C-alpha cells in the first residue's frame, strides 16, 4: 500500500514513521509513505502557500494554486491515487474507511493548515473526498494523517506481529473487543474469570463473544443499533 502526504511539515512524520510496527511495515515494503513539501509547488521567491481571507477576518487561508499544482503533478505519476482532503468537516474516519483505503491501495492525503483552505480546491473537483478524524479541531491534518495511516497499516497482511489479533480488534466486526486478563490470577480481590483458566476453547470463545457484545451494549450502544445480530448473538446477549 502507498500513501502520499502533501504537507507543510514533512519532518513532522520522521520519528512516528520509524517507530514500532509502522516502521517495520515500511522497512518490509508492505507500506510506503512518501512526503511531499507543498512549498515545492510554489512559484514565488518566498514560496508562499497562504494569504489573507477575502472578506476579512482572522487567520490565513491556504491558496488553491500550490495545492492544485502539487496534485496535478502527483496525478501524472499516479493517475489512480485516491485523493483525500483532511478537514474537520469531512466524512468521519472509521475502521470501515481504513478497509476501503487498504483495498484501493493508493491514497494521497492533503494536510490542511491555517484557518482554512480556498474552497475552490473542493469546488473544482481536485479532491475525491474530505475526511475527518472526529468532531474536534486540530492545528492541521498531520496528526490525523498519522492516525489514519497507522489504522490502515494494521490491516496489511504481514504487518502485525500477531495476525490473529486484528479480527478481534474493536470495531473490526462492528463491535468492541472482548476484555483481556493476564497474571496474576487474583489482584486486590479481583479474580480473573475462571472460564479463561479452564482450557475449554469453545467455551472461552463463547464467553469472549458474549463479553464483547455486553461491553458494546454498555459502552457503545450506537454500534449495535444499525446491526443485524445473529440468533446466536442475540441469545448470548440475553443470557
Ligand atoms: Cl482531518 N484536520 C484538522 N485540521 N482537524 C481535524 C481533523 C482533520 N479531524 C478532526 N479534526
Amino acid at each position: 500500500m502507498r500513501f502520499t502526504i502533501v504537507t507543510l511539515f514533512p519532518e513532522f512524520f520522521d520519528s512516528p514513521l520509524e517507530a514500532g510496527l509502522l516502521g517495520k511495515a515500511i522497512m518490509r515494503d508492505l507500506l510506503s509513505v512518501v512526503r511531499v513539501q507543498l512549498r515545492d509547488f510554489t512559484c514565488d521567491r518566498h514560496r508562499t502557500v497562504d494569504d489573507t481571507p477575502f472578506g476579512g477576518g482572522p487567520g490565513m487561508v491556504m491558496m488553491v494554486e500550490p495545492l492544485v499544482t502539487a496534485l496535478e503533478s502527483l496525478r501524472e505519476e499516479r493517475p489512480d491515487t485516491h485523493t483525500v482532503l483532511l478537514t474537520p468537516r469531512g466524512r468521519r474516519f472509521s475502521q470501515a474507511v481504513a478497509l476501503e483505503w487498504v483495498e484501493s491501495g493508493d491514497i494521497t492525503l492533503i494536510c490542511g493548515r491555517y484557518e482554512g483552505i480556498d474552497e475552490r480546491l473542493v469546488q473544482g473537483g481536485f479532491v475525491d473526498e474530505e475526511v475527518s478524524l472526529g468532531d474536534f479541531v486540530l492545528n492541521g491534518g498531520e496528526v490525523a494523517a498519522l492516525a489514519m495511516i497507522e489504522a490502515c497499516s494494521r490491516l496489511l497482511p504481514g504487518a502485525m506481529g500477531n495476525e490473529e489479533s486484528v479480527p478481534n480488534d474493536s470495531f473490526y466486526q462492528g463491535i468492541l473487543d472482548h476484555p483481556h486478563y493476564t497474571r496474576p490470577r487474583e489482584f486486590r480481590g479481583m479474580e480473573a474469570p475462571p472460564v479463561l483458566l479452564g482450557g475449554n476453547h469453545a467455551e472461552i470463545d463463547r464467553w469472549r463473544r458474549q463479553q464483547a457484545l455486553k461491553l458494546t451494549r454498555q459502552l457503545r450502544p450506537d454500534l449495535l443499533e444499525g446491526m443485524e445480530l445473529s440468533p446466536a448473538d442475540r441469545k448470548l446477549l440475553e443470557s
Side-chain angles (χ1 to χ4, degrees):
M1 173 171 208
R2 166 146 162 162
F3 281 99
T4 306
I5 310 173
V6 180
T7 172
L8 292 169
F9 303 98
E11 70 286 353
F12 175 90
F13 299 90
D14 283 353
S15 82
L17 289 179
E18 278 174 24
L21 287 174
L22 191 54
K24 260 193 196 150
I26 292 170
M27 269 214 306
R28 292 205 210 118
D29 279 334
L30 302 171
L31 176 68
S32 101
V33 181
V34 175
R35 288 163 279 173
V36 170
Q37 168 57 265
L38 180 61
R39 285 189 202 282
D40 293 347
F41 297 88
T42 53
C43 295
D44 64 313
R45 204 160 55 83
H46 296 105
R47 312 227 292 165
T48 312
V49 291
D50 61 330
D51 208 337
T52 53
F54 282 146
M60 300 292 273
V61 176
M62 282 179 87
M63 296 158 70
V64 67
E65 205 169 7
L67 283 164
V68 167
T69 307
L71 292 180
E72 285 180 340
S73 150
L74 294 171
R75 268 233 183 266
E76 249 173 64
E77 265 177 73
R78 312 209 130 226
D80 295 326
T81 192
H82 181 70
T83 303
V84 178
L85 176 61
L86 297 176
T87 162
R89 79 180 192 185
R91 162 165 85 130
R92 187 94 60 90
F93 187 76
S94 66
Q95 197 71 15
V97 176
L99 280 161
E100 270 174 42
W101 288 3
V102 167
E103 197 97 336
S104 114
D106 192 320
I107 305 290
T108 298
L109 300 175
I110 307 164
C111 299
R113 276 265 155 184
Y114 306 108
E115 270 37 53
I117 298 182
D118 192 313
E119 190 63 28
R120 289 168 292 189
L121 183 72
V122 172
Q123 202 183 319
F126 298 104
V127 305
D128 297 315
E129 66 169 333
E130 299 174 71
V131 174
S132 165
L133 196 58
D135 291 341
F136 46 84
V137 179
L138 301 167
N139 293 334
E142 282 78 7
V143 166
L146 208 47
M148 295 172 191
I149 290 168
E150 185 165 305
C152 290
S153 77
R154 297 176 54 78
L155 300 172
L156 297 172
M160 299 295 298
N162 182 355
E163 292 303 308
E164 298 106 74
S165 71
V166 171
N168 283 331
D169 279 354
S170 287
F171 310 114
Y172 190 85
Q173 302 161 322
I175 65 171
L176 303 180
D177 192 6
H178 59 77
H180 301 262
Y181 295 86
T182 186
R183 279 187 283 270
R185 223 175 224 225
E186 186 247 277
F187 177 71
R188 298 195 184 173
M190 296 177 285
E191 293 276 355
V195 58
L196 298 179
L197 304 162
N200 181 336
H201 288 284
E203 216 181 301
I204 290 171
D205 286 348
R206 226 175 60 86
W207 181 87
R208 285 180 167 164
R209 180 78 190 170
Q210 180 182 47
Q211 293 299 310
L213 287 163
K214 280 187 167 170
L215 262 186
T216 307
R217 186 174 58 186
Q218 185 191 334
L219 301 175
R220 292 293 307 275
D222 57 300
L223 293 176
L224 291 178
E225 257 153 46
M227 265 178 80
E228 189 67 62
L229 286 184
S230 70
D233 279 348
R234 241 174 296 139
K235 244 178 86 191
L236 276 177
L237 250 181
E238 278 155 24
S239 70

